[in-house]
Amino acid sequence: MKIAPTFFRALAALLFAIAFVVSAPGAETKNYSVGVYYYPGWRFAPPLIQEPPWGAIREYGGRKPVLGWYDEGKIDVATRQLQWMHEYGIDFVIYDWYWINDGGPALTHAIDAYLQSPARSTVKFSILWANHTDTPSSLQQFDAIVDYWIRHYFSQQSYYRVDGIPAVFIFSPDGLERKAASFGTDVEQLLERARRKAVNAGLPGIYFVGTSQAVAGPIQHDLPASGYDAVSAYNYHMGLSGHYSADIPLSHSYRELTDGYRQSWNWILSHSRLPYFVPVTSGWDKRPWGGSPDRMHDQSYGTPREFKEHLESARSLLDRYPGATRRTVVICCWNEFGEGSYIEPTEKWGFEYLQQVRSVFGARTQ
């Protein structure tokens, strides 16, 4: 008898889910929600990825993934990564998402593999619109972007939601404001337009999270006035308390970097009217991609033990401000190997970074 391939895919997904429930370490209920940013840059994908991406990483010992120099467009790669995320207590993954003016959506191979993986139901997914690619160039293009989100992502059961509303992270609120002004509108109108599109498609709206440093203008006025629902960050490079100056030095060690994170956390929580999804980092070392202008800034990487101390500081903040933080942290990053921000298992550290995540924030809810 010839059985349809869809039957086998459905059976595989069922068996995979059952295996997770049986084998997951720990069955306690989590008190926290843990997200992680994912950089989909590990596949040759012109025009954004102009050459094989692993070449620069190979020269820096210790960064080779346990999966090897993988092609993240493969379903088995996505499945293994999701298995690890689930096992070590990561609740949702936020894929960096790109749109280019002449080609539409770009670097979607990792998220496409996620959507085909039998493990997709075990970890939620969201998108960080990496809107520093000179988009949107027009109102029509903005509409096309939102329509793509609604059609391809928001209808998925595994899409990450806040209060039942699909969440989208915006990398550059300033950039979006400039582009909106260039075609005669503003961000408040754009976000409301996007929400109406979602409602017309049968969804409850869109929950927009704007990323920002601890600077008074965006935190106290711009993001709330523009209609964002929450604030977070991709990463920080120094500590800020309401204002930025070119004279403020970048971190020169992981200790300085994480001290800066605490400074920014505390200022934002004291001044933001919006919920704050607390950002944390595994470090910074951009040498594979040419290095930082301040070369000493590339010494801002830490050991798994130091990472654990950073996570514990974040956890104490979630406990102190459970409403304002929604008890949520977002880690930078799963696989920013070129910037030295990664917790994906590597040949050097194995699963030690992931072990710290689980030890601080707990196992997945069963």
Side-chain angles (χ1 to χ4, degrees):
M1 177 186 293
K2 184 177 180 180
I3 302 177
T6 53
F7 171 82
F8 289 111
R9 286 196 292 268
L11 180 60
L14 176 61
L15 294 175
F16 198 94
I18 293 172
F20 267 134
V21 171
V22 172
S23 63
E28 69 272 21
T29 299
K30 281 184 66 179
N31 292 319
Y32 310 99
S33 182
V34 179
V36 65
Y37 292 114
Y38 187 110
Y39 171 64
W42 307 112
R43 185 183 205 182
F44 177 64
L48 292 183
I49 307 297
Q50 298 284 357
E51 57 188 33
W54 289 113
I57 310 303
R58 292 173 188 266
E59 300 177 14
Y60 290 84
R63 302 193 191 198
K64 184 177 182 180
V66 167
L67 290 176
W69 308 114
Y70 56 74
D71 175 348
E72 63 194 347
K74 294 184 176 180
I75 298 173
D76 59 337
V77 170
T79 298
R80 184 66 64 86
Q81 291 173 333
L82 291 170
Q83 177 183 6
W84 291 336
M85 291 179 192
H86 175 93
E87 182 178 351
Y88 288 93
I90 293 174
D91 301 283
F92 60 100
V93 52
I94 309 167
Y95 292 94
D96 297 358
W97 190 88
Y98 300 81
W99 182 286
I100 56 177
N101 286 329
D102 296 330
L107 302 187
T108 64
H109 46 263
I111 200 168
D112 294 341
Y114 167 96
L115 291 173
Q116 297 176 72
S117 170
R120 66 187 178 275
S121 65
T122 64
V123 178
K124 302 293 185 183
F125 82 102
S126 184
I127 56 174
L128 169 79
W129 181 16
N131 62 313
H132 51 302
T133 56
D134 196 36
T135 54
S137 59
S138 66
L139 188 60
Q140 292 72 27
Q141 189 181 80
F142 179 78
D143 285 344
I145 289 170
V146 175
D147 288 341
Y148 189 95
W149 296 342
I150 292 170
R151 184 168 61 253
H152 290 85
Y153 303 143
F154 294 168
S155 62
Q156 301 289 334
Q157 289 187 352
S158 60
Y159 195 84
Y160 173 66
R161 291 168 168 79
V162 179
D163 298 330
I165 305 171
V168 171
F169 293 70
I170 305 294
F171 179 76
S172 177
D174 286 348
L176 186 57
E177 185 64 58
R178 288 192 297 271
K179 296 303 294 184
S182 74
F183 49 85
T185 187
D186 59 33
V187 172
E188 183 180 17
Q189 294 182 67
L190 287 184
L191 300 190
E192 181 56 32
R193 185 182 183 92
R195 292 185 177 105
R196 286 198 304 269
K197 280 181 164 291
V199 169
N200 290 339
L203 298 162
I206 304 175
Y207 189 98
F208 284 105
V209 183
T211 70
S212 176
Q213 305 291 312
V215 178
I219 295 298
Q220 294 181 295
H221 178 264
D222 298 347
L223 294 180
S226 295
Y228 287 92
D229 298 288
V231 63
S232 190
Y234 195 72
N235 52 24
Y236 297 144
H237 297 276
M238 78 287 279
L240 298 177
S241 294
H243 71 279
Y244 170 78
S245 168
D247 296 330
I248 299 174
L250 301 176
S251 65
H252 288 175
S253 69
Y254 188 69
R255 177 65 64 187
E256 289 183 3
L257 183 64
T258 57
D259 284 348
Y261 267 69
R262 282 195 295 273
Q263 180 181 341
S264 294
W265 293 341
N266 290 325
W267 189 89
I268 289 176
L269 283 167
S270 297
H271 294 84
S272 176
R273 290 180 279 157
L274 300 177
Y276 181 40
F277 296 167
V278 176
V280 296
T281 183
S282 60
W284 178 264
D285 177 7
K286 198 180 178 182
R287 288 176 298 159
W289 286 349
S292 303
D294 178 353
R295 297 298 185 181
M296 291 299 294
H297 185 39
D298 291 325
Q299 300 298 313
S300 302
Y301 53 86
T303 65
R305 176 61 200 176
E306 291 172 315
F307 180 56
K308 180 180 182 181
E309 293 172 359
H310 179 49
L311 297 183
E312 289 171 338
S313 295
R315 183 183 63 190
S316 68
L317 209 66
L318 305 191
D319 292 339
R320 197 182 322 148
Y321 301 97
T325 64
R326 309 295 296 258
R327 291 187 178 272
T328 300
V329 296
V330 184
I331 303 168
C332 183
C333 296
W334 179 259
N335 59 350
E336 279 276 18
F337 293 106
E339 295 180 352
S341 301
Y342 53 89
I343 62 171
E344 180 174 3
T346 59
E347 290 186 353
K348 177 178 181 179
W349 292 111
F351 290 78
E352 290 187 46
Y353 283 101
L354 289 179
Q355 288 166 356
Q356 308 315 322
V357 174
R358 187 170 65 189
S359 69
V360 173
F361 295 112
R364 290 294 303 271
T365 301
Q366 298 298 326

